[in-house]
Amino acid sequence: MGRLRTNPEAINLIKKYKNFLDKSESKRYFKNNNDLYIEIGMGKGQFIMNNAIKYPSINFIGVEKYPTVILKAFKKFDNLETKLENLKVISDDAINLLNWFNKHSIKKIYLNFSDPWPKKRHANKRLTSHEFMKIYKFLLTSNGIIEFKTDNEGLYQYTLEEWTNSKSFKIIENTNDLYSNQELMKKNIPTEYETKFHNSGIKIKRIIVKVN
């Protein structure tokens, strides 16, 4: 997808946007009690932006560690006719989620096209690893959901095995070819990467699990 050109000013620029969440803020990020959905690794923000537009009664938070990428997302948000009051963005690594969210505060977590970390010694860095699942279990509500999508066969197989054997989560949906199932596609909102992968003939895999 090309090497990311880092903008050294991005971290200061994104702090000027209303949708940015600074660490100095309270863990109560919205002035309502609506359900909270988060996307870990939101990239340029197309997926979470379109969700926030479609579901205004749900609160959304995007987590993205690269300020340069967040800046691109914010510029995209600025082009909208209406401002997204139900969408905020955090600049941090997913390993620090517990610093940002209270126990049982999140209804749904999206993991879209995460880094597959293909080498075995890096398995714990995968966002679907046992270590991360312990964090998600702590943060999700009693009926919380994780929705995972990937183009990577290795990460898909790894995640399927991890979640099949999990005692904390139950698989409620599993497909290795999302776009071949019209019923599943009815509510699907694609990411930028997803559209590129699908147009290149790569099958999109999706697994959804629920807190057991």
Side-chain angles (χ1 to χ4, degrees):
M1 295 298 167
R3 186 181 180 87
L4 175 68
R5 291 187 177 182
T6 301
N7 180 348
E9 294 299 317
I11 187 60
N12 294 320
L13 292 172
I14 61 176
K15 291 179 179 180
K16 298 178 181 179
Y17 286 83
K18 187 177 180 181
N19 296 95
F20 180 72
L21 285 177
D22 201 353
K23 285 190 176 181
S24 62
E25 296 189 39
S26 164
K27 288 185 179 181
R28 183 174 175 83
Y29 303 124
F30 299 92
K31 297 178 181 179
N32 59 59
N33 294 316
N34 295 341
D35 287 337
L36 174 62
Y37 292 11
I38 73 169
E39 181 185 13
I40 302 175
M42 73 163 199
K44 297 176 185 176
Q46 176 176 301
F47 174 84
I48 201 164
M49 177 186 75
N50 286 335
N51 269 279
I53 293 169
K54 187 172 183 179
Y55 303 106
S57 62
I58 296 174
N59 296 326
F60 292 90
I61 292 181
V63 181
E64 173 57 53
K65 64 181 178 180
Y66 298 112
T68 298
V69 178
I70 294 175
L71 184 59
K72 291 180 183 294
F74 282 167
K75 290 179 178 178
K76 188 178 297 183
F77 300 170
D78 268 357
N79 289 329
L80 297 174
E81 291 183 4
T82 57
K83 299 304 177 184
L84 298 174
E85 301 294 339
N86 62 328
L87 174 57
K88 302 290 185 181
V89 176
I90 290 168
S91 179
D92 204 349
D93 193 285
I95 198 65
N96 299 318
L97 286 173
L98 296 181
N99 295 336
W100 290 95
F101 301 103
N102 293 319
K103 185 177 183 180
H104 303 329
S105 61
I106 299 170
K107 182 68 177 290
K108 181 180 282 191
I109 295 174
Y110 294 104
L111 304 174
N112 291 320
F113 302 90
S114 310
D115 190 332
W117 291 101
K119 294 182 180 180
K120 190 173 182 179
R121 69 176 183 272
H122 294 151
N124 283 343
K125 294 186 177 183
R126 297 168 191 160
L127 291 182
T128 56
S129 70
H130 179 69
E131 293 303 311
F132 275 102
M133 295 304 287
K134 288 192 293 185
I135 296 174
Y136 307 151
K137 173 74 171 180
F138 180 86
L139 295 175
L140 284 166
T141 59
S142 60
N143 58 346
I145 297 286
I146 302 175
E147 185 172 311
F148 160 84
K149 284 196 284 189
T150 186
D151 63 300
N152 187 278
E153 182 66 25
L155 183 59
Y156 168 70
Q157 292 295 341
Y158 168 84
T159 302
L160 182 59
E161 181 177 355
E162 286 284 308
W163 291 2
T164 298
N165 296 324
S166 173
K167 295 181 180 179
S168 299
F169 293 88
K170 178 182 179 180
I171 295 176
I172 58 175
E173 181 194 301
N174 172 35
T175 177
N176 64 358
D177 190 2
L178 176 62
Y179 281 71
S180 69
N181 190 318
Q182 292 305 309
E183 188 63 29
L184 296 181
M185 283 296 295
K186 286 180 180 179
K187 294 184 179 180
N188 184 61
I189 294 178
T191 73
E192 292 95 339
Y193 281 166
E194 180 176 341
T195 300
K196 290 180 180 179
F197 291 139
H198 173 65
N199 290 341
S200 297
I202 299 173
K203 291 182 179 180
I204 305 302
K205 299 87 174 165
R206 186 169 77 182
I207 308 174
I208 299 177
V209 292
K210 187 175 183 178
V211 173
N212 225 346

